[in-house]
Amino acid sequence: MADRSNRLPWRFWIITLVAFINAVSFTIIIPVLYPYAKQFGLSDFQASLLTTAYAASQFIGTPILGRLSDRVGRKPLLILSLLGTVLANLMASLAPFAWFLFLARVLDGVTGGNNSIAQAIISDMTNPAQRTQAFGIFGATFRLGFVAGPPLSYLAQVVPPLPGISSLGMSFMVSAAIALMATILCAVCLPETHEVCEKFELAWSDFKLGRIGRSLQNPRFGRTFLVTFLSGFTFTIFTFAFQPFFLNILEQTPGRLALIFAVFGIIGFMAQVFGLEPLRQRFNIVNILAFMLAARGVCFLLIPAFPTIQAFVLITVIFAAVNSFPLPLIESILSLRSGPQEQGEVLGTNASFLSLSNAIGPAIAGVLVSFGYGLPFWITGVLTIGVAWFALSLRESVPAPSTK
């Protein structure tokens, strides 16, 4: 008979559904952000700054939202964050000028802490024995949203646009509508999971970036935050570099690139749902993290070594599976090492380090690509194996997985 004490609570599936809807809303705009920027006459470099503006704003805003959720409760901050996405995408769909589009991306980034708040809610409602499985399912469901988003973006572009909105702007409008669905679901169905022990108070120190930097010195979390940043930095170099490699070196079409994205999303979803929990039960969680990072690095090195479409598909299918594990494992480590009154801040800070890596990585990749399409893979492969070695140091202060 199954151990009912390890069965995930019903509220977990509500927050997971919210995460899925939110992921769909987010990924709808990914395929259109660049061509939409070109409609405003932006150069390629200026268009890339739209991604930087979002990631940098998220880096600043996410830990503040997480910290406030520790003080005033998870639910109101999650609703506020989702409403920020609704408003930002409405602004983007109706943007009359380029600077207004930038403003919309900044607003979406500043209020973009919904994922870390959702993770804090999961920590509130699960025990340590359930947590790694819960984060794995949550991450997999979020990844599944990345499969559904691009097709919806295509459909949004082919339907008759609303007055005053271009066909590309319709993707932002559909994204706003889906984010509104997530907001309503959260408001109606999700109970508050965090007992507020502090009075609401917003101090100037909450807005100081130095606090984020000092978090690296925290003996419980600092090295884990650094692993998050380094892992995200190396991964985002790959996410930019593999597209010109796929199109120019392998001589493939954009349509096949979209198909690859969908297949990878499905593989990642299956790996997280069915692979993470059995591995956690048999091996130390830090050892799993280090192995998956090392495997990711080896895949990076193999891609330019075998520049054929057949080898690329085989290598990246393996990559899609191993790449689905590091982030939920890191989040599980942080959750297990933090108390209930600090989990929102801790997970929010971790998300900020990830956002910072998302802002820096693509720019570095753009420089490396100018020296050759294979160079980013060689460099990020070596760096990722180094990150895997560093991740082993987390074993010193991480509790053993619960077997109860």
Side-chain angles (χ1 to χ4, degrees), residues 71-88:
R71 299 179 184 178
V72 302
R74 314 292 191 209
K75 184 173 180 176
L77 267 298
L78 181 57
I79 292 174
L80 176 65
S81 181
L82 290 169
L83 285 175
T85 298
V86 174
L87 179 59

Side-chain angles (χ1 to χ4, degrees), residues 177-226:
I178 293 177
L180 182 60
M181 289 172 52
T183 307
I184 295 172
L185 179 64
C186 177
V188 174
C189 300
L190 187 68
E192 177 60 63
T193 61
H194 181 64
E195 182 180 351
V196 179
C197 298
E198 299 182 37
K199 294 177 61 177
F200 173 74
E201 182 180 353
L202 189 62
W204 174 246
S205 60
D206 291 330
F207 296 90
K208 291 185 178 180
L209 295 183
R211 186 166 183 169
I212 298 174
R214 289 192 299 272
S215 65
L216 291 174
Q217 302 173 5
N218 188 299
R220 287 187 295 156
F221 310 120
R223 282 179 294 180
T224 310
F225 291 150
L226 187 56

Side-chain angles (χ1 to χ4, degrees), residues 5-57:
S5 63
N6 288 339
R7 183 177 299 172
L8 294 171
W10 65 269
R11 295 176 297 177
F12 166 79
W13 301 106
I14 295 177
I15 195 63
T16 301
L17 180 58
V18 170
F20 170 75
I21 297 173
N22 185 48
V24 172
S25 171
F26 173 72
T27 55
I28 281 176
I29 67 174
I30 290 178
V32 302
L33 187 59
Y34 174 78
Y36 194 54
K38 300 299 285 186
Q39 284 189 351
F40 291 86
L42 298 178
S43 67
D44 289 349
F45 174 72
Q46 290 170 331
S48 70
L49 292 180
L50 287 170
T51 301
T52 299
Y54 172 83
S57 302

Side-chain angles (χ1 to χ4, degrees), residues 342-359:
E342 59 183 352
Q343 287 185 357
E345 178 177 354
V346 169
L347 293 172
T349 300
N350 188 64
S352 277
F353 279 105
L354 188 61
S355 297
L356 184 61
S357 70
N358 290 340

